[in-house]
Every structure is written in C-alpha cells, then in structure tokens.
Amino acid sequence: MAQDKPPQDLMQYESMAQDALRGVVKAALRRAASPGGLPGDHHFYITFKTQAPGVSGPPEVLSKYPDEMTIILQHQYWDLAPGETFFTVTLKFGGQPKRLSIPYTAVVRFFDPSVQFGLQFEPPGAEPAPTPVAAVTQDPAHHEPEPVGETAAKVVSLDQFRKK
C-alpha cells in the first residue's frame, strides 16, 4: 500500500509564527528603550547567532563568540534602538563601550528571568527540530539561571504543533 505524501505547507506557517514571536522581542525592546526604561526587575538575556547575516559589531568582540553570544540588558546598556528588522545597543566590553547591531532573525533565545519568560527560535536557515523543547536549555557560558519546580521558564516552542 502506498503511503500518502504529507501535505506541503505552502503558506509557511512555521516561518510566520517565528516572525510573530520575534515581534514579542521587538515590543519588549521598544518598552526597554522608552524613557522609563525597563520596569521593575525586568531584564533580558538575548542570545543570537554571531555569524548570521546582518550582525555587526567590533570584530574583536564577535570573534570571541564564533557561533552564539548572549548579551544582558539590565543596568548598563545605552542607546538601545529597536528598529523594524534589527536593533542596536551599546554595551561595555572590557570597560569600553561597543555598539552591536543584531537582526531579529539572528536571535535564537530571549529570556526574562524576572518572570521566567523565554522564547526560543530556530536559527537562521535551520531545519525544524524533530522533538519539542520543554524548557530553556542551559549553557553555563550564557549565565542563565536554572529554572526549577513550578517556577520553571515559560518557553514558547512551536515544535509541539509540528506533525511528526
């Protein structure tokens, strides 16, 4: 018996959903860039692919992170400018201010530990992962706090909606 070919997603729903969720990152950065800055204890860990198209920054900084880099927007960031397709921010590296420009499509993780909220995205040009992601994965180099018990991170992953 011949098996039916799975339907082809000509609408590209996965891509549309990823773009919509990146809009959450954009909206959060816009609030952080407003005159009041970040409200309360909110702060962001933003992980991005350093080799993604459109990422720019000082070569001496980006070369230290050949794959991914996590930045923290909390107390010491300047000139945060969220645009339509990318954001720019000045951070200190080795005590010196350095400007980064990061397209939203390069962002692979966004996490606000003050409320245990996280989003995880497919890297640019990556194939969808075959298994669902249950929580924010921890890499000691990223210094993200480990969620535990009922306070575990609320990660929104689109993998659970994929057909297997």
Coordinates of all heavy atoms in Angstrom, one line a residue, residues 89-157:
V89 N 22.5 48.4 20.1 CA 22.6 48.7 21.5 C 24.1 48.9 21.8 O 25.0 48.3 21.1 CB 22.0 47.6 22.4 CG1 22.8 46.3 22.2 CG2 22.0 48.0 23.9
T90 N 24.5 49.7 22.7 CA 25.8 49.9 23.2 C 26.0 49.2 24.5 O 25.2 49.5 25.4 CB 26.2 51.4 23.3 OG1 26.0 52.0 22.0 CG2 27.6 51.6 23.7
L91 N 27.0 48.4 24.6 CA 27.3 47.7 25.8 C 28.8 47.8 26.1 O 29.6 48.1 25.2 CB 27.0 46.2 25.7 CG 25.5 45.8 25.4 CD1 25.4 44.3 25.0 CD2 24.7 46.1 26.7
K92 N 29.2 47.6 27.3 CA 30.6 47.7 27.7 C 31.3 46.3 27.6 O 30.8 45.3 28.1 CB 30.9 48.2 29.1 CG 30.7 49.7 29.1 CD 31.2 50.3 30.4 CE 31.1 51.9 30.3 NZ 31.5 52.5 31.5
F93 N 32.4 46.2 26.9 CA 33.2 45.0 26.8 C 34.6 45.4 27.2 O 35.2 46.3 26.6 CB 33.2 44.5 25.3 CG 31.9 44.0 24.9 CD1 31.0 44.9 24.2 CD2 31.5 42.7 25.1 CE1 29.8 44.4 23.8 CE2 30.2 42.3 24.7 CZ 29.4 43.1 24.0
G94 N 35.1 44.8 28.3 CA 36.4 45.2 28.8 C 36.5 46.6 29.2 O 37.5 47.3 29.1
G95 N 35.3 47.1 29.7 CA 35.3 48.5 30.2 C 35.1 49.5 29.1 O 35.0 50.7 29.4
Q96 N 35.1 49.1 27.8 CA 34.9 50.0 26.7 C 33.6 49.9 26.1 O 33.1 48.8 25.8 CB 36.0 49.8 25.7 CG 37.4 49.9 26.2 CD 37.7 51.4 26.6 OE1 37.4 52.3 25.8 NE2 38.3 51.6 27.7
P97 N 32.9 51.0 25.8 CA 31.6 50.9 25.1 C 31.8 50.5 23.6 O 32.6 50.9 22.9 CB 31.0 52.3 25.1 CG 32.2 53.2 25.4 CD 33.3 52.4 26.1
K98 N 30.9 49.5 23.3 CA 31.0 48.9 21.9 C 29.5 48.8 21.4 O 28.6 48.4 22.2 CB 31.6 47.5 21.9 CG 33.0 47.4 22.5 CD 34.0 48.0 21.7 CE 35.4 47.9 22.3 NZ 36.5 48.3 21.6
R99 N 29.3 49.1 20.2 CA 28.0 49.1 19.6 C 27.8 47.8 18.8 O 28.6 47.4 18.0 CB 27.9 50.3 18.6 CG 26.5 50.5 18.1 CD 25.9 51.7 18.8 NE 24.6 52.0 18.3 CZ 23.5 52.1 19.0 NH1 23.6 51.9 20.3 NH2 22.3 52.5 18.5
L100 N 26.6 47.2 19.0 CA 26.2 46.0 18.3 C 24.9 46.2 17.5 O 24.1 47.0 18.0 CB 25.9 44.8 19.3 CG 27.1 44.3 20.1 CD1 26.5 43.3 21.2 CD2 28.1 43.6 19.2
S101 N 24.8 45.6 16.4 CA 23.6 45.7 15.6 C 23.2 44.2 15.3 O 24.0 43.4 14.8 CB 23.9 46.4 14.2 OG 22.7 46.4 13.5
I102 N 22.0 43.9 15.7 CA 21.5 42.5 15.7 C 20.2 42.4 15.0 O 19.2 43.0 15.5 CB 21.4 41.9 17.1 CG1 22.8 42.1 17.8 CG2 21.0 40.5 17.1 CD1 22.7 42.0 19.3
P103 N 20.1 41.7 13.8 CA 18.8 41.5 13.2 C 17.9 40.6 14.1 O 18.5 39.7 14.8 CB 19.1 40.8 11.9 CG 20.6 40.9 11.7 CD 21.2 41.2 13.1
Y104 N 16.6 40.8 14.2 CA 15.8 39.9 15.0 C 15.9 38.5 14.5 O 15.7 37.5 15.3 CB 14.3 40.4 14.9 CG 14.1 41.8 15.5 CD1 13.8 42.9 14.7 CD2 14.4 42.0 16.9 CE1 13.6 44.1 15.3 CE2 14.2 43.3 17.4 CZ 13.9 44.3 16.6 OH 13.7 45.6 17.2
T105 N 16.1 38.3 13.2 CA 16.2 36.9 12.7 C 17.4 36.2 13.2 O 17.5 34.9 13.1 CB 16.3 36.9 11.1 OG1 17.3 37.7 10.7 CG2 14.9 37.4 10.5
A106 N 18.4 36.9 13.7 CA 19.6 36.3 14.3 C 19.4 35.8 15.8 O 20.2 35.0 16.3 CB 20.8 37.2 14.3
V107 N 18.3 36.3 16.4 CA 18.1 36.0 17.8 C 17.5 34.5 17.9 O 16.6 34.1 17.1 CB 17.0 36.9 18.4 CG1 16.6 36.5 19.8 CG2 17.6 38.3 18.4
V108 N 18.2 33.7 18.7 CA 17.7 32.3 18.9 C 17.1 32.1 20.3 O 16.4 31.1 20.4 CB 18.9 31.3 18.6 CG1 19.3 31.3 17.2 CG2 20.1 31.6 19.5
R109 N 17.4 32.9 21.2 CA 16.7 32.8 22.6 C 16.5 34.2 23.2 O 17.4 35.1 23.0 CB 17.6 32.0 23.5 CG 17.5 30.5 23.3 CD 18.3 29.7 24.3 NE 19.7 29.9 24.3 CZ 20.6 29.4 23.5 NH1 20.2 28.7 22.5 NH2 21.9 29.7 23.6
F110 N 15.4 34.4 23.8 CA 15.1 35.6 24.6 C 14.6 35.1 25.9 O 13.7 34.3 26.0 CB 14.0 36.4 23.8 CG 13.5 37.6 24.6 CD1 14.2 38.8 24.5 CD2 12.4 37.5 25.4 CE1 13.7 39.9 25.2 CE2 11.9 38.6 26.1 CZ 12.6 39.8 26.0
F111 N 15.1 35.7 27.0 CA 14.7 35.2 28.3 C 14.7 36.4 29.3 O 15.6 37.2 29.3 CB 15.7 34.1 28.8 CG 15.4 33.5 30.1 CD1 14.2 32.8 30.3 CD2 16.2 33.6 31.2 CE1 13.9 32.2 31.5 CE2 15.9 33.0 32.4 CZ 14.8 32.3 32.6
D112 N 13.6 36.5 30.0 CA 13.5 37.5 31.1 C 13.3 36.7 32.4 O 12.3 36.2 32.7 CB 12.2 38.4 30.9 CG 12.1 39.5 31.9 OD1 12.7 39.4 33.0 OD2 11.3 40.4 31.7
P113 N 14.5 36.6 33.1 CA 14.5 35.8 34.3 C 13.6 36.3 35.4 O 13.2 35.6 36.4 CB 15.9 35.7 34.7 CG 16.6 36.8 34.0 CD 15.8 37.1 32.8
S114 N 13.3 37.6 35.4 CA 12.5 38.2 36.5 C 11.1 37.6 36.5 O 10.4 37.6 37.6 CB 12.4 39.7 36.3 OG 11.6 40.1 35.2
V115 N 10.6 37.1 35.4 CA 9.3 36.5 35.3 C 9.3 35.1 34.7 O 8.3 34.5 34.4 CB 8.2 37.4 34.6 CG1 7.9 38.6 35.3 CG2 8.7 37.7 33.2
Q116 N 10.5 34.6 34.5 CA 10.7 33.2 34.0 C 10.0 33.1 32.6 O 9.4 32.1 32.4 CB 10.3 32.1 35.0 CG 11.0 32.1 36.3 CD 12.5 31.7 36.1 OE1 12.8 30.7 35.6 NE2 13.4 32.7 36.4
F117 N 10.2 34.1 31.8 CA 9.6 34.0 30.4 C 10.7 33.9 29.4 O 11.6 34.6 29.4 CB 8.8 35.3 30.1 CG 8.2 35.3 28.7 CD1 7.0 34.6 28.5 CD2 8.8 36.0 27.7 CE1 6.5 34.6 27.2 CE2 8.3 36.0 26.4 CZ 7.1 35.3 26.2
G118 N 10.5 32.9 28.5 CA 11.5 32.7 27.5 C 10.9 32.3 26.1 O 9.8 31.7 26.1
L119 N 11.6 32.7 25.1 CA 11.2 32.3 23.7 C 12.5 31.7 23.1 O 13.6 32.2 23.3 CB 10.8 33.5 22.9 CG 9.5 34.2 23.3 CD1 9.3 35.5 22.5 CD2 8.3 33.3 23.1
Q120 N 12.3 30.6 22.3 CA 13.4 30.0 21.6 C 13.0 29.9 20.2 O 11.9 29.6 19.8 CB 13.6 28.6 22.2 CG 14.9 28.0 21.6 CD 15.3 26.8 22.5 OE1 15.2 26.9 23.7 NE2 15.8 25.8 21.9
F121 N 13.9 30.3 19.3 CA 13.7 30.4 17.9 C 14.6 29.4 17.1 O 15.7 29.1 17.6 CB 13.9 31.8 17.4 CG 13.1 32.8 18.1 CD1 13.6 33.6 19.1 CD2 11.8 33.0 17.7 CE1 12.9 34.6 19.7 CE2 11.0 34.0 18.3 CZ 11.6 34.8 19.4
E122 N 14.2 29.0 15.9 CA 15.0 28.3 15.0 C 16.1 29.2 14.5 O 15.9 30.4 14.2 CB 14.2 27.8 13.8 CG 13.2 26.8 14.2 CD 13.7 25.5 14.8 OE1 14.8 25.0 14.4 OE2 13.0 24.9 15.6
P123 N 17.4 28.7 14.5 CA 18.5 29.6 14.0 C 18.2 29.9 12.5 O 17.5 29.1 11.8 CB 19.7 28.7 14.1 CG 19.4 27.6 15.0 CD 17.9 27.4 15.0
P124 N 18.7 31.0 12.0 CA 18.5 31.3 10.6 C 19.0 30.2 9.7 O 20.1 29.6 9.8 CB 19.4 32.5 10.4 CG 19.7 33.1 11.7 CD 19.6 31.9 12.7
G125 N 18.1 29.8 8.8 CA 18.4 28.7 7.8 C 18.4 27.3 8.3 O 18.8 26.4 7.7
A126 N 17.9 27.1 9.6 CA 17.9 25.8 10.2 C 16.7 25.0 9.8 O 15.6 25.6 9.6 CB 18.1 25.9 11.7
E127 N 16.8 23.7 9.8 CA 15.6 22.9 9.7 C 14.9 22.8 11.0 O 15.6 22.8 12.0 CB 16.0 21.5 9.2 CG 16.6 21.5 7.7 CD 15.5 21.9 6.7 OE1 14.4 21.4 6.8 OE2 15.8 22.7 5.9
P128 N 13.6 22.6 11.0 CA 12.9 22.5 12.3 C 13.4 21.3 13.1 O 13.7 20.2 12.5 CB 11.4 22.3 11.9 CG 11.4 22.8 10.5 CD 12.7 22.6 9.9
A129 N 13.5 21.4 14.4 CA 13.9 20.3 15.3 C 12.8 19.3 15.3 O 11.6 19.6 15.4 CB 14.2 20.8 16.7
P130 N 13.1 18.0 15.4 CA 12.1 16.9 15.4 C 11.4 16.7 16.7 O 10.4 16.1 16.8 CB 12.9 15.7 15.0 CG 14.3 16.0 15.4 CD 14.5 17.4 15.3
T131 N 12.0 17.2 17.8 CA 11.4 17.0 19.1 C 11.1 18.3 19.8 O 11.7 19.3 19.6 CB 12.4 16.2 20.0 OG1 13.6 16.9 20.1 CG2 12.6 14.8 19.5
P132 N 10.0 18.3 20.6 CA 9.7 19.5 21.3 C 10.7 19.9 22.4 O 11.4 19.1 22.9 CB 8.3 19.2 22.0 CG 8.1 17.7 21.9 CD 9.1 17.2 20.9
V133 N 10.7 21.2 22.6 CA 11.6 21.8 23.6 C 10.8 22.1 24.8 O 9.8 22.8 24.8 CB 12.3 23.1 23.1 CG1 13.1 23.7 24.2 CG2 13.1 22.8 21.9
A134 N 11.1 21.5 26.0 CA 10.3 21.7 27.2 C 10.7 22.9 28.0 O 9.9 23.4 28.8 CB 10.4 20.4 28.0
A135 N 11.9 23.3 28.0 CA 12.4 24.4 28.9 C 13.6 25.0 28.2 O 14.1 24.5 27.3 CB 12.7 23.8 30.2
V136 N 14.0 26.2 28.8 CA 15.1 26.9 28.3 C 16.4 26.0 28.6 O 16.6 25.5 29.7 CB 15.3 28.2 29.0 CG1 16.6 28.9 28.6 CG2 14.1 29.1 28.7
T137 N 17.1 25.7 27.5 CA 18.3 24.9 27.7 C 19.4 25.7 28.4 O 19.5 26.9 28.1 CB 18.8 24.3 26.4 OG1 19.0 25.4 25.5 CG2 17.8 23.3 25.8
Q138 N 20.1 25.1 29.2 CA 21.1 25.8 30.0 C 22.5 25.5 29.4 O 22.9 24.4 29.2 CB 21.1 25.4 31.5 CG 19.8 25.7 32.1 CD 19.5 27.2 32.1 OE1 20.4 28.0 32.5 NE2 18.4 27.6 31.6
D139 N 23.3 26.6 29.2 CA 24.7 26.5 28.8 C 25.4 27.4 29.8 O 25.1 28.6 29.9 CB 24.8 27.1 27.4 CG 26.2 27.0 26.9 OD1 27.2 26.9 27.7 OD2 26.4 27.2 25.7
P140 N 26.3 26.9 30.6 CA 27.0 27.7 31.6 C 27.6 29.0 31.1 O 27.7 30.0 31.8 CB 28.0 26.8 32.2 CG 27.6 25.4 31.8 CD 26.8 25.5 30.5
A141 N 28.0 29.0 29.8 CA 28.6 30.2 29.2 C 27.6 31.3 29.1 O 27.9 32.5 29.0 CB 29.2 29.9 27.8
H142 N 26.3 31.0 29.1 CA 25.2 32.0 29.0 C 24.8 32.6 30.3 O 24.1 33.6 30.3 CB 24.0 31.5 28.2 CG 24.3 31.1 26.8 ND1 24.9 31.9 25.9 CD2 24.2 29.9 26.2 CE1 25.0 31.3 24.8 NE2 24.6 30.1 24.9
H143 N 25.1 32.0 31.4 CA 24.8 32.5 32.7 C 23.4 32.7 33.0 O 22.9 33.7 33.6 CB 25.6 33.8 33.0 CG 27.0 33.7 32.8 ND1 27.9 33.0 33.5 CD2 27.8 34.3 31.8 CE1 29.1 33.1 33.1 NE2 29.1 33.9 32.0
E144 N 22.5 31.9 32.4 CA 21.1 32.0 32.6 C 20.7 31.2 33.8 O 21.2 30.1 34.0 CB 20.3 31.5 31.4 CG 20.5 32.3 30.2 CD 19.9 31.7 28.9 OE1 19.3 30.6 29.0 OE2 19.9 32.4 27.9
P145 N 19.9 31.7 34.7 CA 19.5 30.9 35.9 C 18.8 29.7 35.5 O 18.0 29.6 34.6 CB 18.7 31.9 36.7 CG 18.3 33.0 35.8 CD 19.3 33.0 34.6
E146 N 19.0 28.6 36.3 CA 18.3 27.3 36.1 C 16.9 27.3 36.7 O 16.8 27.5 37.9 CB 19.1 26.2 36.7 CG 18.5 24.8 36.5 CD 18.7 24.3 35.1 OE1 19.6 24.7 34.4 OE2 17.8 23.5 34.7
P147 N 15.8 27.3 35.8 CA 14.5 27.2 36.4 C 14.2 25.9 37.1 O 14.7 24.9 36.6 CB 13.6 27.4 35.2 CG 14.5 27.4 34.0 CD 15.9 27.3 34.4
V148 N 13.5 25.9 38.2 CA 13.2 24.7 38.9 C 11.7 24.7 39.3 O 11.1 25.7 39.5 CB 14.1 24.6 40.2 CG1 15.5 24.4 39.8 CG2 13.9 25.8 41.1
G149 N 11.2 23.4 39.5 CA 9.9 23.2 40.0 C 8.8 24.0 39.3 O 8.8 24.1 38.1
E150 N 7.9 24.5 40.1 CA 6.7 25.2 39.5 C 7.1 26.6 38.9 O 6.4 27.2 38.2 CB 5.7 25.4 40.6 CG 5.0 24.1 41.0 CD 4.0 24.4 42.0 OE1 3.4 25.5 42.0 OE2 3.7 23.5 42.8
T151 N 8.3 27.1 39.2 CA 8.8 28.4 38.6 C 9.6 28.2 37.3 O 10.3 29.1 36.9 CB 9.6 29.1 39.7 OG1 10.8 28.4 39.9 CG2 8.8 29.4 40.9
A152 N 9.5 27.0 36.7 CA 10.2 26.7 35.5 C 9.8 27.8 34.4 O 8.7 28.3 34.4 CB 10.0 25.3 35.0
A153 N 10.8 28.0 33.5 CA 10.6 29.0 32.5 C 9.4 28.7 31.6 O 9.1 27.5 31.3 CB 11.8 29.1 31.6
K154 N 8.6 29.7 31.2 CA 7.5 29.5 30.3 C 8.1 29.7 28.9 O 8.1 30.8 28.4 CB 6.4 30.5 30.6 CG 5.8 30.4 32.0 CD 4.9 31.6 32.3 CE 4.7 31.7 33.7 NZ 4.6 33.1 34.2
V155 N 8.5 28.7 28.3 CA 9.2 28.7 27.0 C 8.1 28.4 26.0 O 7.4 27.5 26.1 CB 10.3 27.7 26.9 CG1 10.9 27.7 25.4 CG2 11.4 28.1 27.8
V156 N 8.0 29.3 25.0 CA 7.1 29.0 23.9 C 7.9 28.4 22.8 O 8.8 29.0 22.2 CB 6.4 30.4 23.4 CG1 5.5 30.1 22.2 CG2 5.7 31.0 24.6
S157 N 7.5 27.2 22.5 CA 8.2 26.4 21.4 C 7.1 26.0 20.4 O 6.1 25.5 20.8 CB 9.0 25.2 21.9 OG 9.5 24.5 20.8

